[in-house]
């Protein structure tokens, strides 16, 4: 099934429009400046999510941020289970949802159709602009809140919420240049195993188009290998700063043995005065770092010799005649499928059942940008 016209080499022709609206024109100028400053890409590798088909377009279901395809399948499992439990569906519809849940509990499916909608696990390439100054920072035209909210309890927009992937939508000249450059992107070099490189070449031929997704913003930490992601992607630079501020007050001190409980707070612990001088000095540095983030839109911060940066991360999904690319054979498999929710009956009532634990696979380090 093919949607849209394919151009030379099997790829769709690009429909390019010149941005005339002021805000979009500024963003276009920023994109051109970013290419001049950086000029290259640092590829992190794949992340995974789920998309539902709406004609030639596909709608993203949840954030595309899973580390492996099974994690994305588990999110789809939870979506169907929640609909069966909470939505006003009849017995026939609930039965279809629960049959999908049962299938996802035992098989590594790539796609399935439920209640007339086709769902697919999709593979997205995550990368960032890179140049002499390192990983790209947020751009001046990236949105910032008029009044920054630092309350971690505040409900914020979710990454990829309501995102529609449309390979035929008109794009700006900068977006067209980026899409054309990424069409030929393949894994190369000795650090990639043979099967990874071969899968990459096959994907380029089978999915010759590229669809760009909105930029995300990720906290990264510099180490000897480069910039290592230190958190999940966020929809705005401020959301990433807020996550970093919370991490500096809780997770980072806990990770380095300064707090005994990850739920403890460096500021409160310091104020209580029940720690030794060395610990107090280190906790004060973390508190000062969090305060610097709150004082102004800081995109790079050094605390106790560790350098953190708000990286402007970008993502693209390969596209072929059948839509977005799914997982590749060489992608990490993740855990085996298992029952992650208690069973439901046809009326949506929970049934008692033992909850088996998943078999944990060998973990892999997150590749640096």
């Amino acid at each position: 099934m093919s949607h849209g016209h394919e151009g030379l080499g099997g790829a769709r022709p690009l429909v390019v429009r010149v941005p005339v609206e002021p805000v979009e024109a500024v963003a276009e100028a920023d994109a051109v400046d970013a290419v001049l400053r950086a000029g290259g890409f640092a590829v992190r590798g794949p992340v995974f999510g789920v998309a539902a088909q709406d004609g030639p377009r596909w709608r993203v279901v949840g954030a595309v941020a899973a580390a492996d395809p099974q994690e994305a399948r588990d999110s789809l499992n939870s979506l169907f289970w929640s609909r069966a439990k909470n939505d006003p569906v009849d017995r026939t519809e609930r039965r279809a949802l629960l049959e999908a849940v049962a299938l996802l509990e035992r098989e590594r499916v790539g796609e399935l159709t439920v209640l007339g909608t086709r769902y697919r696990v999709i593979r997205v390439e995550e990368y960032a602009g890179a140049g002499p100054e390192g990983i790209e920072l947020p751009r001046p035209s990236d949105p910032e809140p008029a009044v920054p909210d630092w309350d971690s309890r505040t409900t914020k927009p979710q990454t990829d919420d309501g995102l529609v992937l449309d390979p035929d939508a008109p794009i700006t000249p900068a977006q067209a240049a980026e899409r054309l450059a990424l069409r030929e992107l393949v894994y190369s070099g000795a650090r990639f195993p043979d099967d990874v490189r071969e899968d990459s070449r096959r994907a380029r031929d089978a999915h010759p188009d590229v669809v760009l997704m909105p930029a995300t913003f990720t906290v990264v930490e510099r180490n000897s290998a480069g910039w290592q992601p230190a958190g999940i992607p966020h929809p705005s630079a401020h959301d990433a700063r807020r996550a970093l501020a919370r991490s500096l007050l809780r997770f980072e001190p806990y990770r380095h043995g300064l707090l005994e409980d990850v739920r403890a707070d460096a500021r409160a612990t310091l104020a209580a005065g029940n720690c030794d001088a060395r610990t107090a000095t280190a906790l004060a540095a973390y508190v000062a770092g969090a305060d610097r983030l709150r004082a102004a839109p800081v995109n790079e911060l050094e605390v106790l010799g560790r350098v953190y940066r708000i990286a402007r991360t970008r993502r693209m999904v390969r596209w072929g005649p059948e839509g977005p690319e799914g997982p590749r054979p060489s992608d990490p498999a993740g855990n085996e499928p298992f029952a992650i929710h208690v069973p439901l009956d046809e009326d949506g009532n929970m049934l008692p059942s033992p909850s088996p634990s998943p078999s944990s696979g060998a973990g892999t380090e997150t590749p640096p940008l």
Side-chain angles (χ1 to χ4, degrees):
M1 179 172 60
S2 176
H3 298 290
H5 301 290
E6 294 178 351
L8 184 64
R12 282 176 165 82
L14 301 181
V15 180
V16 181
R17 59 177 177 80
V18 176
V20 294
E21 193 274 328
V23 173
E24 189 180 42
V26 171
E28 181 75 356
D30 270 357
V32 173
D33 289 343
V35 173
L36 296 176
R37 285 195 307 270
F41 294 133
V43 178
R44 176 188 175 188
V47 289
F48 302 87
V50 177
Q53 187 175 22
D54 292 323
R57 301 178 299 180
W58 290 70
R59 172 175 43 85
V60 172
V61 179
V64 180
D68 56 64
Q70 187 57 44
E71 187 180 335
R73 293 186 196 100
D74 289 345
S75 71
L76 185 58
N77 182 331
S78 293
L79 173 67
F80 291 149
W81 187 92
S82 296
R83 288 181 58 187
K85 177 69 173 66
N86 302 315
D87 285 8
V89 294
D90 59 32
R91 281 190 166 192
T92 301
E93 293 169 326
R94 185 173 289 110
R95 189 180 302 117
L97 291 167
L98 294 178
E99 287 174 355
V101 168
L103 177 64
L104 288 164
E105 288 176 348
R106 64 177 186 267
E107 295 184 25
R108 296 184 185 274
V109 296
E111 66 175 60
L112 70 166
T113 299
V114 180
L115 297 178
T117 299
R118 183 185 184 189
Y119 296 87
R120 175 179 295 175
V121 176
I122 62 171
R123 182 189 195 278
V124 171
E125 202 76 57
E126 189 175 31
Y127 61 100
E133 298 180 359
I135 299 297
E136 183 183 9
L137 298 167
R139 298 173 184 174
S141 57
D142 288 327
E144 296 279 2
V147 180
D149 181 359
W150 294 96
D151 189 344
S152 60
R153 299 168 297 180
T154 302
T155 301
K156 59 184 180 65
Q158 297 299 303
T159 304
D160 301 326
D161 189 21
L163 177 63
V164 173
L165 303 174
D166 184 357
D168 298 314
I171 53 179
T172 69
Q175 292 169 337
E178 188 168 347
R179 280 177 61 169
L180 288 172
L182 290 170
R183 280 182 178 178
E184 296 303 313
L185 175 67
V186 293
Y187 293 161
S188 60
R191 74 185 182 95
F192 295 106
D194 291 344
D195 59 340
V196 172
R197 295 198 300 267
E198 182 57 33
D199 280 351
S200 182
R201 288 189 289 267
R202 278 196 292 264
R204 178 189 57 189
D205 297 335
H207 299 83
D209 289 307
V210 166
V211 175
L212 302 179
M213 298 177 65
T216 52
F217 301 86
T218 306
V219 178
V220 296
E221 181 180 350
R222 189 167 62 196
N223 59 24
S224 58
W227 292 94
Q228 187 82 16
I232 64 173
H234 298 272
S236 75
H238 174 70
D239 290 324
R241 292 187 203 105
R242 184 166 66 175
L244 177 57
R246 179 178 174 82
S247 180
L248 290 174
L249 293 177
R250 295 181 178 236
F251 178 71
E252 287 296 299
Y254 172 77
R255 180 164 72 108
H256 297 289
L258 300 171
L259 296 176
E260 295 182 356
D261 191 326
V262 72
R263 294 168 296 181
D265 181 273
R267 193 187 304 276
T269 302
L270 192 62
N274 55 358
C275 53
D276 59 50
R278 183 191 68 82
T279 299
T281 299
L283 291 179
Y286 283 115
V287 171
D291 289 343
R292 286 201 299 275
L293 286 168
R294 288 171 174 262
V298 176
N299 290 321
E300 186 167 302
L301 186 70
E302 183 173 352
V303 179
L304 295 176
R306 297 180 182 88
V307 179
Y308 306 91
R309 175 175 284 194
I310 307 301
R312 189 182 199 273
T313 40
R314 288 136 77 177
R315 299 167 299 162
M316 66 91 161
V317 55
R318 285 201 169 275
W319 206 277
E322 288 289 322
E325 182 188 11
R328 300 173 186 174
S330 57
D331 286 329
N335 290 328
E336 291 294 325
F338 71 103
I340 57 179
H341 296 287
V342 298
L344 302 174
D345 64 19
E346 291 184 341
D347 295 315
N349 300 310
M350 290 189 289
L351 301 172
S353 176
S355 300
S357 299
S359 57
S360 59
T364 57
E365 293 185 359
T366 303
L369 286 165

